[in-house]
Amino acid sequence: MGLNYYQIKKNVLKARKLVIKGTTAAGSGHPGGSFSMAEIMGCLFYKHLKYDTKNPEWEDRDKLILSKGHASPGLFSNMAVSGYFEESKMETLRQFGTILQGHPDLKCPGVEFCGGSLGIGLSYSIGNALAAKLDEKDTRIFTVMGDGETDEGQVWEAAMTAAKYKIDNLTVILDRNFIQQDSYTEKIMPLDEHLESDDLSEMWKDASRWKTGDKWRSFGWNVIEVDGHRIEQISNAITRAKSVKGLPTIIIARTIKGKAVEHMEDNPQWHGKAAKPEFVPIIEEELESQFMISPSIIAGDMTHLENEVKRCVDGRADYIHLDVMDGQFVPNTTFDNEKIKELRPLTVIPFDTHLMINEPVRYVKDYIDAGSDIITVHTEVCDESSFGEIHDLLKSSQVGIGLAINPDTELPTWSEKFIPSLDQLIVMSVIPGKSGQTFIESSHEKIRKLTQTLKDKKFEGYIEADGGVTLDNVGACFTDGARAFVGGNAIIGQNDVRVVIREFRNRILRSRRKLLIKKANELGGTDLVNKWIDLHVVGKKKDELLQISQELGYQ
Ligand code: DX5
Ligand code: ZN
């Protein structure tokens, strides 16, 4: 389909919600492993995989082999989102007679492999890849494997075979979530270095211990390691894998089992258990409350922007905010598309280009060509016709579409028809022009109101708060409804970008936890609040939840 970053993200969200819907309706199933591979599936289904939902048997299609077949909800949900069948079909999951069985079955059109008996998907994929070569077809085989299943000897026989026959039309993606069945992989059958610490739930964070790649390398494979929840990294790895000739590629995606629902994250219990219906609305709210941090590099050393980009990468920013100022729309001048083009090769992190320039319609193409992932233009310098042009160009170029409003500007009526297809709305919380200004307090109210109006108008993008966002107000901005946060002075202006970004996330997480506790209270009073809190057994989440609940007077 070749969707842009933001649309892939939105589809991943839809798919995650369907996983919950299906498994809860069935009362069983595997949400944990479906969620750890959610972004991997998103990149395949909406960017890289060649298929035709109207003609699942299309001869020239690529093949997706889900070797870790127990994660079938994660496959079916994406098949539903991409149009193989109605989304409502997910509610038939695991029922007698449905095409959506607990493990993928060929009776479901579009399914390529009856996965579930673990350890055999790679051998099957090799057969398919060799057949494609014999037929001189341009078919690619994508195989998604679990880490637990690589305990099987057959996997390593297949690994040798793929290297021997130089099977380069095969890309394996290993969902390295560190959990198999009811425990951690490193306890059941270690794949990495011997683990000294007792705190196994923390071990996935310690990169120095990841040795799985060495095993595959020694079997003759090309190995690429990525953060398996970062769309841009997975997508880039798949593109690179496609260009490798003469050897098979494995992408080792470091993931978190149960990713995106805090109480399921990194908790073996959620390998094969469904959420209870009473929790579903809270889980949905949680899924819809993902957030992004976007440091603004103009707050750093303007003469060494390359270094500022590096600081964002090392600090694990989600996006990099690029403030383009032309000395006309705002008095200052920063940089233009040429600079962005120079910065682009430094990272795959999405570039969040904010054009504070006059007549953006004249220049938007240059900023697309420079490698922006989203481009935001100001309503103050657009009208229906020029924004329409910008909108269409961004859309056809697979670049995210953003609109920005100044503190004293309301959304113009002409913008209404574009709202459902906007990926981002920047609400300026300072008068644009420079970094380091103070957040305008009335922006809270403005974001709150906009959150409501936009929801009614079918907005599916993110509200981005831009200007004067700090550790002290970022949590409140989240509560208002913002889901992306620009940080100039408060992030790039600080010594340790990584520490400050982590703290930004903690503050936002606290607000999110509060939001969810309130929701639980609304739906089922203290009883549900306590049940919700009790689900959070891994790490220190429970302590904070209890504290929040006490503050709210629910305890
Ligand atoms: C303001 C810019 C912002 C700003 C952010 O004109 O659009 O992105 O530089 O910097 P801080 O967070 O320091 O206000
Ligand atoms: Zn900005």
Side-chain angles (χ1 to χ4, degrees), residues 51-88:
Y51 59 98
D52 179 359
T53 57
K54 300 282 170 290
N55 181 14
E57 299 290 316
W58 176 38
E59 275 206 344
D60 292 326
R61 71 189 187 279
D62 290 335
K63 290 185 178 171
L64 169 59
I65 312 291
L66 181 64
S67 187
K68 44 169 283 185
H70 54 282
S72 66
L75 170 68
F76 297 149
S77 54
N78 284 289
M79 290 178 73
V81 173
S82 57
Y84 279 99
F85 43 79
E86 291 291 315
E87 292 183 1
S88 57

Side-chain angles (χ1 to χ4, degrees), residues 226-253:
V226 298
D227 176 335
H229 296 298
R230 298 200 63 140
I231 286 165
E232 73 281 9
Q233 287 190 22
I234 305 165
S235 182
N236 178 263
I238 296 174
T239 306
R240 279 159 59 201
K242 282 181 190 164
S243 68
V244 172
K245 298 284 168 246
L247 69 169
T249 293
I250 183 164
I251 299 169
I252 299 185

Side-chain angles (χ1 to χ4, degrees), residues 365-433:
K365 172 104 180 33
D366 299 338
Y367 289 90
I368 293 173
D369 296 343
S372 307
D373 294 277
I374 186 160
I375 296 180
T376 300
V377 298
H378 271 259
T379 52
E380 297 84 9
V381 282
C382 289
D383 56 20
E384 183 171 350
S385 143
S386 66
F387 187 72
E389 209 177 304
I390 293 171
H391 173 279
D392 294 351
L393 190 59
L394 292 174
K395 198 168 175 192
S396 62
S397 312
Q398 294 160 29
V399 173
I401 308 167
L403 201 52
I405 50 173
N406 279 343
D408 49 5
T409 309
E410 297 299 324
L411 263 186
T413 351
W414 62 255
S415 67
E416 292 207 357
K417 71 176 209 201
F418 301 108
I419 289 175
S421 52
L422 285 186
D423 293 304
Q424 171 165 291
L425 176 77
I426 293 188
V427 179
M428 289 305 307
S429 34
V430 297
I431 295 174

Side-chain angles (χ1 to χ4, degrees), residues 298 321 323 325 354 356 428 432-436 466-468 486 488-489:
I298 61 159
H321 190 76
D323 285 307
M325 302 185 189
H354 178 189
M356 281 161 282
M428 289 305 307
K434 58 175 191 238
S435 109
D466 184 7
V486 176
N489 195 33

Side-chain angles (χ1 to χ4, degrees), residues 217-231:
R217 254 178 234 111
S218 76
F219 273 72
W221 285 57
N222 174 44
V223 177
I224 306 176
E225 298 195 49
V226 298
D227 176 335
H229 296 298
R230 298 200 63 140
I231 286 165

Side-chain angles (χ1 to χ4, degrees), residues 1 74 90 118 121 126 160 177 207 245 324 350 377 379 385:
M1 279 197 206
M90 277 304 285
L118 294 172
I126 290 171
M160 285 190 279
N177 61 29
K245 298 284 168 246
V324 177
V377 298
T379 52
S385 143

